[in-house]
Amino acid sequence: MKTEESLSIRLAATLMKRYPHPDNFPYTSWCYPQGFMLAGIIRLYRDTGRPAYRDYALKFADHHVGPKGEIYRFHGRSMDDMMAGSVLAWAFAETGEERYRKACGHILKMFERYPRTSRGGFLHAAENTPAKCG
């Protein structure tokens, strides 16, 4: 299949046109939908090398990570909230920026104390916390 004709390329073009800023992608800021959608955008960047995909994903990361690695809108209360963090791991690998490494460290700390099942799996949401993100 030609990359230029793929449905994934066409879908990405539609999403990027409809939502010029990835944080406006529906549900709420910093949540599973953005993380999932951006995982696809990042994969397209890896497959095609097109800078527009890289720039779009980094726009999300830049918007949410401050200069000292603080993550705006991250609470770590549900796995939905964690999904968007995968974009930051990619952003660090892609750019080497220390702020992304620090941000990933904050997320890792949340995983260390995140509630688990008796078999060690992660619960979807922390106890007594709505399963919302952002």
Side-chain angles (χ1 to χ4, degrees), residues 6-89:
S6 75
L7 291 175
S8 56
I9 298 279
R10 291 168 44 199
L11 177 60
T14 298
L15 291 172
M16 291 168 68
K17 183 178 180 180
R18 185 172 291 171
Y19 307 105
H21 196 290
D23 203 48
N24 293 332
F25 187 75
Y27 179 58
T28 186
S29 177
W30 188 271
C31 198
Y32 184 89
Q34 284 95 4
F36 189 77
M37 181 264 300
L38 289 168
I41 296 290
I42 289 166
R43 185 166 179 178
L44 279 174
Y45 170 63
R46 288 179 179 156
D47 290 350
T48 68
R50 291 182 183 178
Y53 301 134
R54 178 185 189 271
D55 296 347
Y56 192 74
L58 285 176
K59 186 185 290 189
F60 179 83
D62 289 342
H63 181 74
H64 284 282
V65 178
K68 297 178 182 175
E70 64 275 23
I71 309 171
Y72 310 123
R73 307 220 16 115
F74 173 74
H75 303 288
R77 294 185 301 235
S78 79
M79 297 315 295
D80 288 337
D81 196 27
M82 302 291 198
M83 178 64 182
S86 64
V87 176
L88 303 186

